[in-house]
Amino acid sequence: MTNDNLLERIVDDETRRSFMKKSAVATAGAGLAASGTVSAQEGSGGLDDNWKALIQASNFHPEAKFAIVSDVVNWTPNYGDIQDSFFSEYNTRMIRWQNTGEVVPLWAANEANLGSFDGNRGFVTDADDDQNQPQLFEMNKEWTPFGDNPELITVQVSPVNEEEEDGILDVDDWWNNDDDMTID
């Protein structure tokens, strides 16, 4: 092999590697820019946004739908390794799981836009569609442990889209009875 051929191969390989590296960097940059756009859109504070909450690990049902069936409840849990002051960032609410009917506590982040609780109806109403029915939310699949406490986990919650919500509430109409659903 001549020195000229070897030099051409090295330069060609170097050029290909350089091109591949630049392409990878450009692709990653475009992906970050797109995700930054999505994150900026999600942070608008509207009811369509995801929000953070805490829930007891035993009450966590990934992808399950629920309605908020209380206003803020004046209750701060006492978990030995978690200071009460931490819970000042969260509001205690009671939720009703659509799949089981079970009512359990959820600690929603203070800044979460949950909608308006109707004390007469006993649930957070659906402001976008029909204020005579509850707003449904969905628990996301992902969760993270809350500190060193195995009892609590951090979750993300998002509103259920109107079409799916209407379909669920047409079948499970617990909210459409005359009994007082309010939880004090």
Side-chain angles (χ1 to χ4, degrees), residues 4-121:
D4 289 339
N5 285 342
L6 180 59
L7 183 58
E8 284 176 13
R9 281 187 48 203
I10 290 172
V11 169
D12 286 346
D13 283 347
E14 190 62 36
T15 304
R16 262 182 269 165
R17 271 181 267 177
S18 176
F19 174 77
M20 295 299 280
K21 286 180 185 177
K22 288 177 185 172
S23 295
V25 168
T27 301
L32 287 173
S35 68
T37 302
V38 170
S39 295
Q41 291 170 348
E42 288 177 355
S44 65
L47 190 57
D48 294 335
D49 292 341
N50 291 344
W51 43 274
K52 183 172 82 168
L54 301 175
I55 193 165
Q56 292 169 313
S58 59
N59 291 332
F60 177 61
H61 302 287
E63 297 185 324
K65 309 323 185 252
F66 65 89
I68 298 172
V69 293
S70 77
D71 205 349
V72 174
V73 177
N74 188 17
W75 176 59
T76 302
N78 185 10
Y79 292 109
D81 58 340
I82 299 174
Q83 298 171 353
D84 290 347
S85 63
F86 180 82
F87 279 96
S88 66
E89 298 176 22
Y90 293 88
N91 288 316
T92 305
R93 301 281 188 126
M94 301 304 286
I95 64 171
R96 181 191 184 276
W97 292 110
Q98 288 298 117
N99 58 341
T100 65
E102 182 183 16
V103 176
V104 299
L106 177 82
W107 294 275
N110 287 344
E111 67 270 1
N113 185 3
L114 306 178
S116 299
F117 178 77
D118 182 333
N120 294 325
R121 305 283 301 164

